[in-house]
Amino acid sequence: MPSNVVRFHYTLRDTRGQFIDSSQGGEPVTYLEGSGQIIEGLESQMKSLTAGTKAQLNVPAAQAYGVRDDRMIQKVARAVLPLDEFQIGDQFQTGPDRHDPVVTIVAIEGDQVTLDANHPLAGVDLVFDVEVLDIRPATADETSHGHAHGPGGVHH
Ligand code: ZN
């Protein structure tokens, strides 16, 4: 069965109602079904929505950015950080690729810095308010490329 390309707006909060992120007021998100572009736990629930509908979807951490893993917290020497100045709470990417992990500085003691490589939303149960703008069948090119083209998609 051919996949669809879905365009939607979202507002993301945690289960206490704390605001995390939103696409409202900016570009909507466009994704090709099955491409892994949005988190699995959200995509599977969005399959039941039709264009023009709004819904609130609960995505537990395990189906979103995963549970927290204490083994992903480690101490390194200050000298190895690619930063001259930093403070607790700063985040940086560990490599040049956009998929390289983002680490957060969680402690600084002398010349030892503690880094947490858990995703900032690991362990967080998510509540999405979504508004589906439109759904269309993917083109053959989109299906073979594995991503959406056009507005909000890949341009090339
Ligand atoms: Zn393409």
Side-chain angles (χ1 to χ4, degrees), residues 79-124:
V80 307
L81 294 195
L83 307 168
D84 294 329
E85 290 184 20
F86 48 82
Q87 57 190 10
I88 290 171
D90 282 357
Q91 297 182 332
F92 61 94
Q93 203 151 23
T94 53
D97 189 272
R98 71 183 181 90
H99 294 297
D100 287 329
V102 171
V103 297
T104 305
I105 297 172
V106 293
I108 304 170
E109 295 165 71
D111 60 359
Q112 293 276 297
V113 178
T114 305
L115 301 177
D116 183 352
N118 283 291
H119 188 282
L121 291 177
V124 180

Coordinates of all heavy atoms in Angstrom, one line a residue, residues 79-124:
A79 N 39.3 19.4 29.3 CA 40.1 19.7 28.1 C 39.6 19.0 26.8 O 39.8 19.5 25.7 CB 41.5 19.2 28.4
V80 N 38.8 18.0 26.9 CA 38.3 17.3 25.7 C 37.0 18.0 25.1 O 36.6 17.7 24.0 CB 38.0 15.8 25.9 CG1 39.2 15.1 26.5 CG2 36.8 15.6 26.7
L81 N 36.4 18.9 25.9 CA 35.2 19.5 25.4 C 35.6 20.5 24.3 O 36.6 21.2 24.3 CB 34.5 20.3 26.5 CG 33.9 19.5 27.6 CD1 32.9 20.3 28.4 CD2 33.2 18.2 27.1
P82 N 34.7 20.5 23.2 CA 35.0 21.4 22.1 C 34.5 22.9 22.4 O 34.0 23.6 21.5 CB 34.2 20.8 21.0 CG 33.0 20.2 21.7 CD 33.5 19.7 23.0
L83 N 34.6 23.3 23.6 CA 34.0 24.6 24.0 C 35.0 25.3 24.9 O 35.7 24.7 25.7 CB 32.7 24.4 24.9 CG 31.6 23.5 24.3 CD1 30.6 23.2 25.4 CD2 31.0 24.2 23.2
D84 N 35.1 26.6 24.8 CA 36.0 27.4 25.7 C 35.3 27.7 27.0 O 35.9 27.6 28.1 CB 36.4 28.7 25.0 CG 37.3 28.4 23.8 OD1 38.0 27.3 23.8 OD2 37.3 29.1 22.8
E85 N 34.1 28.1 26.9 CA 33.3 28.5 28.1 C 32.0 27.7 28.1 O 31.4 27.5 27.0 CB 33.0 30.0 28.1 CG 34.2 30.8 28.3 CD 33.8 32.3 28.4 OE1 32.6 32.6 28.6 OE2 34.7 33.2 28.1
F86 N 31.6 27.3 29.2 CA 30.4 26.5 29.3 C 29.9 26.5 30.7 O 30.6 26.9 31.7 CB 30.6 25.1 28.9 CG 31.8 24.4 29.4 CD1 31.7 23.8 30.7 CD2 33.0 24.3 28.8 CE1 32.8 23.2 31.3 CE2 34.1 23.7 29.3 CZ 34.0 23.2 30.6
Q87 N 28.6 26.2 30.9 CA 28.1 26.1 32.2 C 27.1 25.0 32.3 O 26.7 24.4 31.3 CB 27.4 27.4 32.6 CG 26.3 27.9 31.6 CD 25.8 29.3 31.9 OE1 26.4 30.0 32.7 NE2 24.7 29.6 31.2
I88 N 26.7 24.7 33.5 CA 25.7 23.6 33.7 C 24.4 23.9 32.9 O 23.9 25.0 33.0 CB 25.4 23.4 35.2 CG1 26.7 22.8 35.9 CG2 24.2 22.4 35.4 CD1 26.6 22.7 37.4
G89 N 23.9 22.9 32.2 CA 22.7 23.1 31.4 C 23.0 23.3 29.9 O 22.1 23.1 29.1
D90 N 24.3 23.7 29.6 CA 24.6 23.9 28.2 C 24.5 22.5 27.4 O 24.8 21.5 28.0 CB 26.1 24.4 28.0 CG 26.1 25.9 28.3 OD1 25.1 26.5 28.6 OD2 27.3 26.4 28.3
Q91 N 24.1 22.6 26.2 CA 24.0 21.4 25.3 C 24.9 21.6 24.1 O 25.0 22.7 23.6 CB 22.6 21.1 24.9 CG 21.7 20.9 26.1 CD 20.3 20.5 25.7 OE1 19.8 21.0 24.7 NE2 19.6 19.8 26.5
F92 N 25.5 20.6 23.7 CA 26.2 20.6 22.4 C 26.2 19.3 21.7 O 26.0 18.2 22.3 CB 27.6 21.2 22.6 CG 28.5 20.3 23.4 CD1 29.3 19.3 22.8 CD2 28.5 20.4 24.8 CE1 30.1 18.5 23.6 CE2 29.3 19.6 25.6 CZ 30.1 18.7 25.0
Q93 N 26.4 19.3 20.4 CA 26.4 18.1 19.6 C 27.8 17.6 19.6 O 28.8 18.3 19.5 CB 25.9 18.5 18.2 CG 25.4 17.3 17.4 CD 24.3 17.8 16.4 OE1 24.4 18.9 16.0 NE2 23.4 16.9 16.0
T94 N 27.9 16.2 19.6 CA 29.2 15.6 19.8 C 29.9 15.4 18.4 O 31.0 14.9 18.4 CB 29.1 14.2 20.5 OG1 28.1 13.5 19.8 CG2 28.7 14.4 21.9
G95 N 29.3 15.8 17.3 CA 29.9 15.6 16.0 C 29.3 16.5 15.0 O 28.3 17.2 15.3
P96 N 29.8 16.5 13.8 CA 29.3 17.4 12.8 C 27.9 17.0 12.1 O 27.3 17.8 11.6 CB 30.4 17.4 11.7 CG 31.0 16.0 11.9 CD 30.9 15.7 13.3
D97 N 27.6 15.7 12.3 CA 26.3 15.3 11.6 C 25.1 15.6 12.5 O 25.2 15.6 13.7 CB 26.4 13.8 11.4 CG 25.2 13.3 10.5 OD1 24.2 13.0 11.1 OD2 25.4 13.2 9.3
R98 N 24.0 16.0 11.9 CA 22.8 16.4 12.7 C 22.3 15.2 13.5 O 21.5 15.4 14.4 CB 21.8 17.0 11.8 CG 21.0 16.1 10.9 CD 20.0 16.9 10.1 NE 19.3 16.0 9.2 CZ 18.1 15.4 9.5 NH1 17.6 15.6 10.7 NH2 17.5 14.6 8.7
H99 N 22.7 14.0 13.2 CA 22.2 12.8 14.0 C 23.2 12.5 15.1 O 22.9 11.6 15.9 CB 22.0 11.6 13.1 CG 20.9 11.8 12.1 ND1 19.6 12.0 12.5 CD2 20.9 11.8 10.7 CE1 18.8 12.1 11.4 NE2 19.6 12.0 10.3
D100 N 24.3 13.2 15.2 CA 25.2 12.9 16.3 C 24.6 13.3 17.6 O 23.8 14.3 17.6 CB 26.5 13.7 16.1 CG 27.4 13.1 15.0 OD1 27.4 11.9 14.8 OD2 28.1 13.9 14.3
P101 N 24.8 12.5 18.6 CA 24.1 12.8 19.9 C 24.4 14.2 20.5 O 25.4 14.7 20.3 CB 24.6 11.7 20.8 CG 25.6 10.9 20.1 CD 25.8 11.4 18.7
V102 N 23.3 14.7 21.1 CA 23.5 15.9 21.8 C 23.7 15.6 23.3 O 23.0 14.7 23.8 CB 22.2 16.8 21.7 CG1 22.2 18.0 22.6 CG2 22.0 17.2 20.2
V103 N 24.7 16.2 23.9 CA 24.9 15.9 25.3 C 24.7 17.2 26.1 O 24.8 18.3 25.6 CB 26.4 15.4 25.6 CG1 26.6 14.1 24.9 CG2 27.4 16.5 25.1
T104 N 24.3 17.0 27.4 CA 24.0 18.1 28.3 C 25.0 18.1 29.4 O 25.3 17.0 29.9 CB 22.6 18.0 28.9 OG1 21.7 17.9 27.8 CG2 22.2 19.2 29.7
I105 N 25.6 19.3 29.7 CA 26.5 19.4 30.8 C 25.7 19.4 32.1 O 24.9 20.3 32.3 CB 27.4 20.6 30.7 CG1 28.3 20.5 29.5 CG2 28.2 20.8 32.0 CD1 29.0 21.8 29.1
V106 N 25.9 18.4 33.0 CA 25.0 18.3 34.2 C 25.8 18.6 35.5 O 25.2 18.9 36.5 CB 24.3 16.9 34.3 CG1 23.3 16.8 33.2 CG2 25.3 15.8 34.3
A107 N 27.2 18.6 35.4 CA 28.0 18.9 36.6 C 29.4 19.3 36.1 O 29.9 18.9 35.1 CB 28.0 17.8 37.6
I108 N 30.0 20.2 36.9 CA 31.3 20.7 36.6 C 32.0 20.6 38.0 O 31.6 21.3 38.9 CB 31.4 22.1 36.0 CG1 30.6 22.2 34.7 CG2 32.9 22.5 35.8 CD1 30.4 23.6 34.2
E109 N 33.1 19.8 38.1 CA 33.8 19.7 39.4 C 35.3 19.8 39.0 O 35.8 18.8 38.4 CB 33.6 18.4 40.1 CG 32.1 18.3 40.6 CD 31.8 16.8 41.0 OE1 32.4 16.4 42.0 OE2 31.1 16.1 40.2
G110 N 36.0 20.9 39.3 CA 37.4 21.0 39.0 C 37.6 20.9 37.5 O 36.9 21.5 36.7
D111 N 38.5 20.0 37.1 CA 38.6 19.8 35.6 C 37.9 18.6 35.1 O 38.1 18.1 34.0 CB 40.1 19.7 35.3 CG 40.8 18.6 35.9 OD1 40.2 17.9 36.7 OD2 42.0 18.4 35.7
Q112 N 36.9 18.1 35.9 CA 36.0 17.1 35.5 C 34.6 17.6 35.1 O 34.1 18.4 35.9 CB 35.8 16.0 36.6 CG 37.1 15.3 36.9 CD 37.3 14.1 36.0 OE1 36.5 13.2 36.0 NE2 38.4 14.1 35.2
V113 N 34.1 17.2 34.0 CA 32.8 17.7 33.5 C 31.9 16.4 33.4 O 32.4 15.4 32.8 CB 32.9 18.5 32.2 CG1 31.5 18.9 31.7 CG2 33.8 19.7 32.4
T114 N 30.7 16.5 33.9 CA 29.8 15.3 33.7 C 28.8 15.6 32.6 O 28.2 16.7 32.6 CB 29.0 15.1 35.1 OG1 30.0 14.9 36.1 CG2 28.2 13.8 34.9
L115 N 28.8 14.7 31.6 CA 28.0 14.9 30.5 C 26.8 13.8 30.5 O 27.1 12.7 30.8 CB 28.8 14.7 29.2 CG 30.0 15.6 29.0 CD1 30.7 15.2 27.7 CD2 29.5 17.0 28.9
D116 N 25.7 14.3 30.1 CA 24.5 13.4 30.0 C 24.1 13.3 28.5 O 23.7 14.2 27.9 CB 23.4 13.9 30.8 CG 22.1 13.0 30.9 OD1 22.1 12.0 30.1 OD2 21.2 13.3 31.6
A117 N 24.3 12.1 28.0 CA 24.0 11.9 26.6 C 22.5 11.4 26.3 O 22.2 11.0 25.2 CB 25.0 10.9 25.9
N118 N 21.7 11.3 27.4 CA 20.3 11.0 27.2 C 19.7 12.1 26.4 O 20.0 13.3 26.6 CB 19.6 10.9 28.5 CG 19.9 9.6 29.2 OD1 19.4 8.5 28.8 ND2 20.6 9.6 30.3
H119 N 18.7 11.8 25.5 CA 18.0 12.8 24.8 C 17.3 13.7 25.9 O 16.8 13.2 26.9 CB 17.0 12.2 23.9 CG 16.3 13.2 23.0 ND1 15.3 14.0 23.4 CD2 16.5 13.5 21.7 CE1 14.9 14.8 22.4 NE2 15.6 14.5 21.4
P120 N 17.3 15.0 25.6 CA 16.7 15.9 26.6 C 15.2 15.5 27.0 O 14.7 15.8 28.1 CB 16.7 17.3 26.0 CG 17.8 17.2 25.0 CD 17.9 15.8 24.5
L121 N 14.5 14.8 26.1 CA 13.2 14.4 26.3 C 13.1 12.9 26.7 O 12.0 12.3 26.8 CB 12.3 14.7 25.1 CG 12.0 16.1 24.8 CD1 11.2 16.3 23.6 CD2 11.3 16.8 26.0
A122 N 14.2 12.2 26.9 CA 14.2 10.9 27.4 C 13.5 10.8 28.8 O 13.7 11.7 29.6 CB 15.6 10.3 27.5
G123 N 12.7 9.8 28.9 CA 12.0 9.7 30.2 C 10.8 10.6 30.4 O 10.1 10.5 31.4
V124 N 10.5 11.4 29.4 CA 9.3 12.3 29.5 C 8.1 11.7 28.7 O 8.3 11.4 27.5 CB 9.7 13.7 28.9 CG1 8.5 14.7 29.0 CG2 10.9 14.2 29.6

